[in-house]
Amino acid sequence: MSLRHAVLGLLAELPRASGYDLLKMFEISLDNVWPATQSQLYGELGKLAKEGMIEVAAEGARGRKEYELTDAGRAELLHWLLEVPPKPARRDDTLLRVFFLGQVGPEAARDFLTKQGKELDRRLADLLDLEGRIKWDDDNLAVYGRLAMEYGKRFMAMRRDWYEWAAKEIEGHERDGS
Amino acid sequence: MSLRHAVLGLLAELPRASGYDLLKMFEISLDNVWPATQSQLYGELGKLAKEGMIEVAAEGARGRKEYELTDAGRAELLHWLLEVPPKPARRDDTLLRVFFLGQVGPEAARDFLTKQGKELDRRLADLLDLEGRIKWDDDNLAVYGRLAMEYGKRFMAMRRDWYEWAAKEIEGHERDGS
DNA sequence: CAGCTCATGTAATACGTTACATGATTAC
DNA sequence: GTAATCATGTAACGTATTACATGAGCTG
């Protein structure tokens, strides 16, 4: 149920935005945190408007509708931000594979883990590169966006290190002959 | 589309299991990796059987149906394990909050981050406790289950550390008066 | 005026959760 | 015999993805 809060949050940062504008924001700044498709977004905007969380503040060319956060919407955002306990995502595609990796034998398992580690190392390098090229300004999205960036870096590094560790673990088992 | 692979994986480890058996397995060993509800599971078993990935090898009391992996099912499992690139989950409820944390001012933001850090510290302690109480045997599920456990520990520790770091970052901004 | 971007919406399909519904067998 | 466990299935609803559909306005 958090797509709505992503929308409310964006409308809190940039008052007055159209569905189209918001879609661009999702693509450039929320893509790694909470992706949304165009269909989903327009649907949610309709619902939020009907519930009085946002309202059409102006209409422009080509049927453009500029939405604005209402007091109810802002209240809902703050409530969610501070009072609704965040629930960490539990499904992890990669971990699921690891669970069943015994099915392929230790050599293939070790190769798989090594490969994944290298892949993450590449992705971390890309992220560092991206970070270097971003020009952070001083608004809220930038300050807190930097925190999110650091999270991404630490997350990738943690997974890379774990893959390397796990590959070594399996190597140990390989030598044991188990 | 990975629920089916979780089912195939479990049936590869323990040949011959009913929906009910599998449900128990999901609850005790896959709950933090790939949770599934009863509805979902029975639905998927039906589909997998229709597609020839699994088959009813025996029927027991109370309408019990014991499924077994077919060759096609095993092939699909191996294909998924080694050839389908794992896609990391992208949605993160907590990170989304961080993105909009500027809306509540630096003190409340710092308090939020500190609180989340403490919560993770508690959860990590619980996990370590659980780890101590598990009696690992030597089968595949145990060997690779230990890798998954280590992943969980590292993931929680990483997030705890990041929260503590982020809270300090915000404190810095607080003093700046920004 | 042709092609791109802006701009909104709907339909079909899949995946996930909660709740409902039913009944057989076992353990006490 | 009654309560717990075993065992399967369906229905309703919400969320997410992909594809389809349409058209206005700007740029060359």
Side-chain angles (χ1 to χ4, degrees):
Chain A
M1 253 276 285
S2 278
L3 171 66
R4 63 183 324 134
H5 300 114
V7 172
L8 294 174
L10 285 176
L11 279 172
E13 304 281 350
L14 26 125
R16 214 161 277 233
S18 69
Y20 192 84
D21 295 339
L22 290 170
L23 188 62
K24 296 295 153 198
M25 290 299 295
F26 270 94
E27 281 165 6
I28 60 173
S29 66
L30 284 180
D31 201 46
N32 288 298
V33 178
W34 207 273
T37 59
Q38 182 255 37
S39 298
Q40 235 189 319
L41 183 51
Y42 282 108
E44 194 63 44
L45 284 170
K47 276 193 239 168
L48 284 167
K50 204 159 58 183
E51 292 171 40
M53 301 281 183
I54 61 177
E55 62 189 12
V56 178
E59 306 208 22
R62 281 166 289 197
R64 176 184 174 90
K65 292 188 223 168
E66 292 188 326
Y67 290 96
E68 219 176 69
L69 208 54
T70 63
D71 289 342
R74 188 172 302 273
E76 170 61 26
L77 176 64
L78 293 179
H79 166 69
W80 170 79
L81 267 174
L82 297 177
E83 287 157 49
V84 179
K87 52 166 182 178
R90 289 154 79 208
R91 294 194 169 85
D92 190 316
D93 198 10
T94 305
L95 257 193
L96 184 61
R97 277 181 182 74
V98 171
F99 235 84
F100 301 126
L101 215 45
Q103 291 298 316
V104 300
E107 310 82 19
R110 187 208 48 207
D111 289 352
F112 173 82
L113 293 166
T114 305
K115 200 174 115 193
Q116 296 300 322
K118 284 191 180 138
E119 169 63 21
L120 271 166
D121 207 40
R122 263 192 298 281
R123 294 206 5 232
L124 179 56
D126 288 347
L127 190 63
L128 290 170
D129 185 54
L130 173 69
E131 189 188 24
R133 284 186 288 101
I134 289 181
K135 293 184 55 189
W136 300 105
D137 33 22
D138 261 346
D139 61 17
N140 276 332
L141 271 180
V143 170
Y144 290 88
R146 277 183 48 248
L147 300 189
M149 169 67 76
E150 177 70 21
Y151 180 92
K153 280 158 58 184
R154 289 181 183 218
F155 189 24
M156 282 191 197
M158 176 243 123
R159 280 181 294 169
R160 178 201 53 195
D161 294 346
W162 175 81
Y163 275 119
E164 289 173 1
W165 168 85
K168 285 214 187 83
E169 282 289 301
I170 299 302
E171 243 169 87
H173 270 271
E174 226 171 315
R175 274 194 300 275
D176 288 357
S178 54
Chain B
M1 256 274 288
S2 279
L3 171 67
R4 66 186 318 130
H5 300 113
V7 172
L8 294 173
L10 285 175
L11 279 172
E13 304 280 350
L14 25 125
R16 214 162 278 232
S18 69
Y20 192 84
D21 295 339
L22 291 170
L23 188 61
K24 298 295 154 199
M25 289 300 293
F26 269 94
E27 281 164 7
I28 62 172
S29 66
L30 284 180
D31 200 48
N32 289 299
V33 178
W34 207 274
T37 61
Q38 182 256 34
S39 298
Q40 235 189 318
L41 183 50
Y42 282 108
E44 194 62 45
L45 285 170
K47 274 193 242 168
L48 284 168
K50 204 159 56 184
E51 292 170 40
M53 302 282 183
I54 61 178
E55 62 189 12
V56 179
E59 305 207 23
R62 280 166 289 199
R64 176 184 175 91
K65 292 187 224 168
E66 292 188 326
Y67 290 96
E68 219 176 68
L69 208 53
T70 64
D71 289 342
R74 187 172 302 273
E76 170 59 27
L77 175 64
L78 293 179
H79 166 69
W80 169 79
L81 267 175
L82 297 177
E83 287 157 49
V84 179
K87 54 166 180 176
R90 288 155 80 209
R91 294 193 169 85
D92 190 317
D93 197 9
T94 305
L95 256 193
L96 184 61
R97 277 181 182 73
V98 172
F99 234 85
F100 300 126
L101 215 45
Q103 292 297 317
V104 300
E107 309 83 18
R110 186 208 48 207
D111 289 352
F112 173 84
L113 293 167
T114 305
K115 201 174 114 192
Q116 297 300 322
K118 285 192 179 136
E119 170 63 22
L120 271 166
D121 206 41
R122 262 191 299 281
R123 297 211 357 239
L124 179 55
D126 288 349
L127 191 62
L128 290 170
D129 184 55
L130 173 68
E131 189 187 23
R133 285 185 289 101
I134 290 181
K135 293 186 56 190
W136 300 107
D137 34 21
D138 261 346
D139 61 17
N140 276 332
L141 270 182
V143 171
Y144 290 87
R146 277 183 49 248
L147 300 189
M149 170 68 77
E150 177 70 21
Y151 181 91
K153 281 158 58 185
R154 290 182 182 218
F155 189 23
M156 282 191 197
M158 176 244 124
R159 281 181 295 170
R160 179 201 51 194
D161 295 344
W162 175 81
Y163 275 119
E164 289 172 2
W165 168 85
K168 286 215 185 81
E169 284 287 302
I170 299 301
E171 244 170 86
H173 270 271
E174 227 171 313
R175 275 195 299 277
D176 289 356
S178 56

